[in-house]
Amino acid sequence: MDKYVLTAVAFGIIGIAMVIAGIFNLRAAPEQEEEPTKKRTRKNRAEKSETKSGSNLMANWVFGGHRGMDLKKQGSLRIKIGVVFIVVALIIAGTYLL
């Protein structure tokens, strides 16, 4: 196989996986109601970041995001990155394979 075919297929697979991961993040995000503003207090950042995201740090880095990011924002970021990978795959396929 040609290296351009493998590159286009790899970008396409990664893009589709990113979009699927983003959709799962958006589905898993709980419905958050706005809380009334209250007096600010200092919180333990380590506890908050560990409990907020129950997933693996490496998986977060690979699929876009970080520990402190909420699931809705992380899901939309993953979908955007996945679409970019799919577009790059289509550009590579259109340029070198047609």
Side-chain angles (χ1 to χ4, degrees), residues 28-80:
E31 295 294 326
Q32 297 177 356
E33 297 179 11
E34 293 192 25
E35 298 175 5
T37 311
K38 54 185 174 182
K39 186 177 178 182
R40 293 183 180 210
T41 59
R42 186 175 293 264
K43 295 181 181 177
N44 188 356
R45 250 182 126 183
E47 282 183 20
K48 184 179 178 184
S49 65
E50 290 294 327
T51 59
K52 194 167 194 178
S53 176
S55 60
N56 188 359
L57 175 65
M58 186 65 177
N60 278 339
W61 180 78
V62 170
F63 290 121
H66 56 82
R67 286 185 189 194
M69 189 180 285
D70 63 335
L71 288 177
K72 286 184 182 181
K73 193 172 185 180
Q74 192 173 16
S76 64
L77 178 67
R78 287 180 180 179
I79 290 173
K80 290 175 186 175

Side-chain angles (χ1 to χ4, degrees), residues 75-95:
S76 64
L77 178 67
R78 287 180 180 179
I79 290 173
K80 290 175 186 175
I81 293 172
V83 169
V84 168
F85 274 122
I86 292 171
V87 168
V88 168
L90 291 175
I91 290 172
I92 291 172
T95 304

